């Protein structure tokens, strides 16, 4: 913003007050104090009005809360200004020449927009909270339009899962006990994936990049799978007395929980990068992919162990 009052460091307060009288500025809460074209600091209008007539601005000047270059993202500077009690952000070019002040009303609007974006990402990674509100209040026709394509993919996944299970029909006839544990493997993978997806979305809403949590969340999924698999092995071996099937289920749980963690991290991030709404797509797609991969992993392990 260029239309702000400026003065030199050696100017007297009375002269600057006279300069302000009768002239309208886009923003006059701060006076930019310059040394030629270089910004020295700012003087608040309250300090100027309270100063003695012969006081020079050099005695009143303070550093601006934040200084940015033209075209910089103002979010960080706005937060710094809010924390320090400032009211404006100074803009200078690469050579230190004064370009203007960003006033408090603009900074307030930036904070509002960033707050809306954070809330929206926390709730489903929409670009604005207003868009999330519109999605929640839209008519049935629009709701169907947003949801049915993703659920259609889910139906295709269910069909694919049936085909995969059918491919192992002979194994199931030979060892019927294998069929008992399919729901357990699939459910636990979905549960781990849901937890991971929630944590990822929460982290993204706070600006935490995927790469910062990928390894830890993957290890968490693996450890959870191993622990659940170990407990399930003891249960299945004691209840049904078939240690080979119990081992197959335990190993499958460890693998499927790890896969679910990867899928749950990749889908929200990928959909957001593509500009699609993960609030509708992440759940159905994650369920389809996790179920298919869990079933494939289960039968692959069972084929090797049980035969």
């Amino acid at each position: 913003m260029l239309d702000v009052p400026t003065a030199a460091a050696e100017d007297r307060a009375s002269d600057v007050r006279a300069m302000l009288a009768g002239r309208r500025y886009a923003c006059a809460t701060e006076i930019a104090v310059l040394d030629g074209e270089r910004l020295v600091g700012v003087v608040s209008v309250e300090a100027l009005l309270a100063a003695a007539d012969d006081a020079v601005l050099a005695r009143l000047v303070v550093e601006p809360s934040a200084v940015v270059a033209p075209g910089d993202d103002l979010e960080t500077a706005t937060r710094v200004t809010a924390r320090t009690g400032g009211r404006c952000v100074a803009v200078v070019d690469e050579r230190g020449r004064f370009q203007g002040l960003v006033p408090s009303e603009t900074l307030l609007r930036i904070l509002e927009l960033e707050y809306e974006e954070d809330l929206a990402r926390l709730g489903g990674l929409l670009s604005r909270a207003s868009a999330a509100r519109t999605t929640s209040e839209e008519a049935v026709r629009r709701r169907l339009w947003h949801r049915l394509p993703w659920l259609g993919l889910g139906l295709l996944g269910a069909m694919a899962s049936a085909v995969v299970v059918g491919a192992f029909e002979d194994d199931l006839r030979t060892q019927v006990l294998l069929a008992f544990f399919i729901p357990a493997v699939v459910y636990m993978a979905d549960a781990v994936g849901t937890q991971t997806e929630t944590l990822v979305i929460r982290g993204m809403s706070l600006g935490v990049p995927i790469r910062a949590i990928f390894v830890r969340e993957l290890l968490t999924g693996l450890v959870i799978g191993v622990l659940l698999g170990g407990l399930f092995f003891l249960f299945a071996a004691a209840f049904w007395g078939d240690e080979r099937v119990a081992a197959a289920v335990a190993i499958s749980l460890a693998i499927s929980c790890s896969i679910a963690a990867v899928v749950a991290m990749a889908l929200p991030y990928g959909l957001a990068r593509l500009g699609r709404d993960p609030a509708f797509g992440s759940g159905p797609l994650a369920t389809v992919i996790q179920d298919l991969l869990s079933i494939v992993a289960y039968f692959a392990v069972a084929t090797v162990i049980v035969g």
Side-chain angles (χ1 to χ4, degrees), residues 7-13 16 33-34 40-43 54-62:
E10 63 272 14
D11 287 346
R12 295 187 305 171
V16 178
V33 181
L34 307 181
V40 177
V42 295
V43 175
D54 59 349
V56 296
L57 294 194
R59 296 173 56 187
L60 306 176
V61 71
V62 297

Side-chain angles (χ1 to χ4, degrees), residues 46-188:
E46 294 91 343
L48 178 66
L49 293 175
D53 288 344
D54 59 349
V56 296
L57 294 194
R59 296 173 56 187
L60 306 176
V61 71
V62 297
E63 293 185 0
S65 300
V67 179
V68 298
D72 283 355
D73 186 0
L74 289 174
E75 179 182 359
T76 301
T78 300
R79 293 184 184 278
V80 170
T81 303
R83 285 197 298 268
T84 58
R87 295 187 300 192
C88 66
V89 171
V91 182
V92 299
D93 64 14
E94 67 280 358
R95 298 174 61 182
R97 294 176 301 187
F98 177 68
Q99 300 296 302
L101 298 176
V102 182
S104 56
E105 56 265 27
T106 301
L107 300 181
L108 184 61
R109 179 57 180 161
I110 291 172
L111 286 177
E112 180 189 16
L113 292 175
E114 295 300 331
Y115 174 72
E116 282 195 348
E117 286 184 355
D118 290 346
L119 283 180
R121 283 195 292 266
L122 182 62
L125 301 181
L126 291 169
S127 60
R128 290 286 186 271
S130 57
R133 187 177 300 109
T134 299
T135 302
S136 299
E137 297 174 351
E138 64 189 2
V140 173
R141 181 178 178 182
R142 292 294 298 172
R143 291 172 185 267
L144 293 175
W145 173 255
H146 282 141
R147 297 185 187 185
L148 283 177
W150 297 112
L151 295 176
L153 288 176
L155 181 60
L156 290 176
M159 296 175 181
S161 298
V163 172
V164 171
V165 173
F168 293 92
E169 181 180 358
D170 293 337
D171 298 285
L172 290 174
R173 286 176 178 172
T174 304
Q175 184 55 271
V176 179
L177 188 58
L178 289 174
F180 293 1
F181 302 110
I182 295 176
V185 173
V186 171
Y187 168 76
M188 292 311 304

Side-chain angles (χ1 to χ4, degrees), residues 260-293:
V262 173
V263 172
M265 286 186 283
L267 276 179
Y269 176 77
L271 288 173
R273 294 283 292 181
L274 292 173
R276 304 303 299 270
D277 184 1
F280 293 120
S282 293
L285 268 183
T287 300
V288 168
I289 296 173
Q290 290 165 7
D291 288 357
L292 279 172
L293 295 178

